[in-house]
Amino acid sequence: SGLTSISSVAIIEKDTNSDVMLTWSYPSIEPETEPVLVSRSNLSDETLTPFTFSKFNNQWIYIVSIPVEHEEEEEDKEEEEEDKTENLMETGKEYKGPLGRVEAFSICVLSKDYNPELYANLTKLFVEVYKKTGTPISVLQGFLRVLTVGRVGDFNQEDYSQRDALLATSIKDIIKIFGIEIILLWTALMMKKRVAVYCDRSSTLLRVIRAFPLFIWHRRDWDLIHPY
């Protein structure tokens, strides 16, 4: 069977003029979701976040971002370059290759399911395909294939257990981080209170909060966490 929980895929690009925008999606992304995806891609930041997952409107958002490496062309024709200066200021520099006007890009996958490892690897596959071809058609082909048969390239949804996703972070590691104050966290979770967690590194934050539902394992509810 196919990966029917996947709902949409989108491409966000940062062009050589440093403009960031959503350039393609399938199916169409809701207007209220588009700015959220652009913001959470973090393409405007100096340092890219390779992978992140978050939640919006009861959907999980998985994002993989990479820079596009361009080979610098030899500047032999100074006069020609001077003639193009005004045009480049408006459109940005264009390099050779399938993504000649792209400095970095993100691919976002939206799904009803919580399984960061599954969607990280699937999204990375889409990223590699788009990086090589530069056309969203190749991403669409992969999306439709995994939607219908659950496999595409080296990816197979059967290789990713839902239980493994739930147990990815050890509860012992979280207890070591909080020490005796873990009692406060456990009490808050048992009483269904809201707990706000702040961290200056998103990768650390995601690793920690995904273990919180383990303290109330009897509920098996990972929808209670809301990254971002």
Side-chain angles (χ1 to χ4, degrees):
S1 62
L3 187 62
T4 55
S5 58
I6 188 172
S7 58
S8 56
V9 60
I11 298 174
I12 300 171
E13 296 180 343
K14 178 181 181 180
D15 63 23
T16 52
N17 210 32
S18 296
D19 294 323
V20 179
M21 64 185 70
L22 191 150
T23 57
W24 176 86
S25 66
Y26 180 85
S28 59
I29 299 294
E30 295 181 0
E32 63 178 354
T33 304
E34 182 174 334
V36 174
L37 297 182
V38 172
S39 174
R40 295 183 183 181
S41 70
N42 296 319
L43 288 181
S44 298
D45 297 348
E46 293 184 3
T47 304
L48 294 181
T49 304
F51 172 69
T52 183
F53 62 90
S54 58
K55 200 173 184 183
F56 181 74
N57 276 357
N58 294 319
Q59 282 200 110
W60 289 99
I61 302 171
Y62 302 93
I63 304 177
V64 173
S65 305
I66 67 166
V68 178
E69 299 178 358
H70 298 291
E71 294 184 3
E72 290 289 346
E73 299 177 6
E74 296 184 1
E75 300 183 357
D76 296 328
K77 303 179 181 179
E78 295 183 0
E79 295 182 359
E80 185 177 346
E81 291 296 326
E82 291 178 1
D83 294 337
K84 294 181 179 179
T85 301
E86 184 176 347
N87 185 50
L88 290 176
M89 291 178 64
E90 297 178 356
T91 63
K93 189 172 183 179
E94 182 173 4
Y95 298 89
K96 292 182 179 179
L99 295 171
R101 289 189 179 274
V102 179
E103 185 177 314
F105 71 89
S106 301
I107 290 190
C108 315
V109 171
L110 281 68
S111 173
K112 300 175 183 177
D113 274 356
Y114 169 82
N115 196 323
E117 284 69 35
L118 182 153
Y119 287 101
N121 284 288
L122 175 61
T123 308
K124 287 176 183 177
L125 187 148
F126 290 159
V127 164
E128 289 302 317
V129 169
Y130 187 63
K131 183 179 179 181
K132 291 179 181 178
T133 65
T135 171
I137 295 177
S138 56
V139 178
L140 175 59
Q141 290 172 339
F143 175 84
L144 294 176
R145 181 165 180 79
V146 77
L147 178 66
T148 53
V149 300
R151 300 186 308 275
V152 59
D154 296 331
F155 174 85
N156 189 335
Q157 66 168 335
E158 295 181 357
D159 295 335
Y160 301 91
S161 165
Q162 182 68 29
R163 180 180 175 84
D164 289 344
L166 303 183
L167 300 176
T169 299
S170 171
I171 194 172
K172 293 180 180 179
D173 293 340
I174 308 305
I175 293 174
K176 289 180 181 178
I177 292 174
F178 289 95
I180 190 66
E181 293 182 353
I182 198 67
I183 296 175
L184 300 177
L185 175 62
W186 175 77
T187 302
L189 293 171
M190 287 293 293
M191 297 180 67
K192 298 184 179 180
K193 299 294 184 180
R194 293 182 178 181
V195 179
V197 184
Y198 172 81
C199 181
D200 56 2
R201 293 183 58 185
S202 61
S203 58
T204 302
L205 174 66
L206 294 174
R207 184 178 68 86
V208 169
I209 64 171
R210 66 184 299 183
F212 283 8
L214 294 175
F215 289 94
I216 45 175
W217 177 255
H218 59 286
R219 294 179 190 162
R220 307 230 176 160
D221 182 15
W222 262 252
D223 285 334
L224 63 85
I225 62 176
H226 292 269
Y228 285 90

